[in-house]
Amino acid sequence: MSAKRVFIKGNEAIGQGALAAGCRCYFGYPITPQNDIPEMLSAAMPAAGGQFVQAESEVAAANMLLGAAACGVRAMTTSSSPGVSLMQEAISYMAGSELPGVIVNMNRGGPGLGDIGPSQGDYFQSVKGGGHGDYRTLVLAPATCQECYDLTFTAFDLAYKYRNPVLILGDAIVGQMKEPVTPREALPVDPAEGGDWKLTGRGQRAPRLLKSLFLEDGALAGQNRLLQKKYEAMRAEVLFEDFETADAELVVVAYGSIGRIAKSAVRSLRAAGVKVGLLRPVTLYPFPEDKLRELAAAGKRFLTIEHNLGQMVDDVRLAVRGLADSAFYGVFPGNLPTPDEFVEPIRAAAKGA
Amino acid sequence: MSCQPETQEKLVFDRPAVLADVPTHYCPGCQHGVIHRMVAECLEEFGLVEKTIAVSSIGCSVFLYNYILVDTVEAPHGRAPAVATGVKRARTDAFVFAYQGDGDLASIGMAEIMHAANRGERISVVFVNNTVYGMTGGQMAPTTMIGQKTTTCPGGRCAEREGGPIRMAEIIASLDGVAYCARTAVNSVKNMAQAKRALRRAFEVQIRGEGFGFVELLATCPTNWKVSPVAANERVAKEMIPGFPLGVFKDASKED
């Protein structure tokens, strides 16, 4: 199939990516700035032979996702920050019951009701578990509309590979901007996917049970041991963009929309002869800590730029500990930064100031 | 001495094969076991065992899956109707039922039950109402009756302070998506027969794709009521049934 480029919003790219990746159940609840996704899927999902339900709340939407995921059907919900807080209960249960599903958070400003502008204030919530208990979700952070499309494919594949919820952490910038996107060929879902655990009605086999309650002596420890092993194995999935770090004296670490804006600032400083580079984590969990440590061992300095008041910078500092530190430049939520805003902070950090 | 009967006896009452042959974890006099059996019988009578997906909820009955041998997923507290919605939407050909207690369904899960019913989800909900939170040790439920003592209303539930007991069957029956809604009890042989009929109808409307099926079953919790199983059964007849009238509140097709 020839890939014809389309000019769409990041939000629409996620919806179209999900359809092409074989997602056939969507559950959601309206919240700005991600409404383009449920709006487009309300027509497109039934047209593709799937199911669309506008739930009564984000709580219900995430639990519908849990139910569909238990059946081994590719399923998704999307929301924005306050809504994702409400989904954390189900996400924790999905992690505990080892259910695959995709949850999209088009991050807006907080805390509380905050505003509807862009922010990266949900980093901690996304990468440290978010709900109760010891668990992790894989977290993918797109910076372009094309990545919104492509990473949605990746999200479904990873969800099934690890039987785990996968989070796509975007924001109001990448969700609302329009760019050309090259779609991929729609994927026929492997009927064998989830074949050894999904609920289908037992037929002639023994009944299956998907649960997160482990009351017997030692059973919960056993389950958590298995989960931790899985989270360790997920480290193999690390993705990042490495932009001119080889000869850089200072490496800017930034993700998502901010990573992209920071890249423009790095590019203009390069043009002015300043030796700076950019490391943009694409997976936030797993975090590219080995790459950061390698750069630290090579003597680089670091500046973490985020659209929050300092969250990922903790993970950067952990990654480079003993070898280097990271400066921090934070953009307050509710503001939309331009590349120019980052130039002076990067120049100052490059000088070691 | 032989344990074998000397004459060939005719077996007239057996365990449904879908019901596991295991010791119960429920307290003496608890009626979850009776209700599990009725659900199991309905599944077999309709030939649904192989295509059923059950949603177990929170509380004593979470262990439904230890007794009814069908594919099962466990839902968070109160969310069983939302989970069942996801299951049914993902597997439209499956028979899907959720099993919930009163704390689960009428308190934390009020939104989920109302909206699943209103959407007319093709699922069946078995609602066991014993007017108390059982597993957590006997706290006040939304269905606790006026004057009933619990660990969180030690002086008895007071309407002025805590509101009155919520009558779910009447509320559910008022919603357009509901095809069948009834309240029954399992305190007597006569009422058990009615309860079984109600469960059959609730399952039937799902099989026929007519809409949402709901059966409320008044049941005992002798442990948390702090009475004997016999006295608990008497309480169902004397106090609960007058406060929660039995009957069919909605039947869309009115067959049978």
Side-chain angles (χ1 to χ4, degrees), chain B residues 155-175:
Chain B
R157 182 173 184 161
C158 163
E160 205 175 306
R161 199 172 49 223
E162 284 115 8
I166 298 178
R167 293 179 189 86
M168 286 309 301
E170 287 85 340
I171 295 171
I172 294 297
S174 73
L175 301 170

Side-chain angles (χ1 to χ4, degrees), chain A residues 65-306:
Chain A
L65 176 70
L66 185 157
C71 297
V73 170
R74 289 189 166 209
M76 178 171 84
T77 186
T78 65
S79 192
S80 182
S81 309
V84 176
S85 291
L86 288 172
M87 292 178 173
Q88 294 301 339
E89 176 196 58
I91 296 171
S92 168
Y93 276 75
M94 287 177 73
S97 309
E98 295 191 84
L99 298 178
V102 174
I103 300 110
V104 178
N105 179 2
M106 301 314 271
N107 196 164
R108 61 187 252 183
L113 199 49
D115 68 9
I116 57 166
S119 164
Q120 295 182 328
D122 298 354
Y123 177 89
F124 279 157
Q125 185 196 53
S126 308
V127 306
K128 308 293 184 191
H132 60 281
D134 284 303
Y135 77 93
R136 300 287 178 150
T137 49
L138 285 139
V139 184
L140 310 174
T144 65
C145 294
Q146 184 69 52
E147 277 190 358
C148 284
Y149 188 91
D150 293 341
L151 290 178
T152 305
F153 264 77
T154 309
F156 281 103
D157 289 342
L158 291 176
Y160 273 86
K161 182 173 177 183
Y162 292 101
R163 274 184 70 179
N164 205 70
V166 177
L167 217 67
I168 296 176
L169 184 61
D171 62 37
I173 303 174
V174 75
Q176 291 298 326
M177 70 183 177
K178 251 180 166 177
E179 287 185 296
V181 169
T182 305
R184 284 200 224 169
E185 197 170 340
L187 187 79
V189 174
D190 179 359
E193 189 171 78
D196 56 347
W197 56 263
K198 66 185 175 189
L199 306 186
T200 57
R202 72 175 212 203
Q204 299 301 313
R205 60 164 167 75
R208 287 177 180 163
L209 171 62
L210 296 169
K211 61 162 187 167
S212 60
L213 178 67
F214 298 91
L215 283 183
E216 304 81 17
D217 200 21
L220 184 61
Q223 172 70 357
N224 272 301
R225 212 163 272 130
L226 285 177
L227 293 179
Q228 290 304 321
K229 218 177 264 179
K230 187 164 82 172
Y231 304 146
E232 278 302 310
M234 286 175 184
R235 288 172 182 275
E237 308 297 340
V238 73
L239 294 171
F240 53 84
E241 180 188 0
D242 180 352
F243 179 67
E244 303 213 29
T245 60
D247 69 338
E249 287 161 7
L250 177 90
V251 173
V252 174
V253 188
Y255 74 92
S257 303
I258 294 299
R260 184 176 180 171
I261 296 166
K263 189 176 172 183
S264 298
V266 165
R267 200 181 270 126
S268 68
L269 283 164
R270 272 275 166 186
V274 186
K275 285 191 170 175
V276 291
L278 173 86
L279 189 82
R280 178 172 67 89
V282 173
T283 53
L284 301 180
Y285 187 88
F287 195 64
E289 52 199 21
D290 290 346
K291 178 66 186 177
L292 282 163
R293 199 155 178 82
E294 177 196 314
L295 293 169
K300 319 281 182 192
R301 283 196 302 279
F302 297 91
L303 169 67
T304 304
I305 302 181
E306 295 177 82

Side-chain angles (χ1 to χ4, degrees), chain B residues 223-243:
Chain B
T223 299
N224 286 303
W225 294 357
K226 302 188 186 344
V227 296
S228 71
V230 172
N233 240 354
E234 283 166 2
R235 176 180 181 253
V236 173
K238 284 184 191 154
E239 294 176 38
M240 281 179 75
I241 293 176

Side-chain angles (χ1 to χ4, degrees), chain B residues 29 89 94 107 137 161 166 171 173 179 186 199 216 233 242:
Chain B
R89 297 297 185 123
S107 194
R161 199 172 49 223
I166 298 178
I171 295 171
V186 285
L199 285 169
E216 177 171 344
N233 240 354

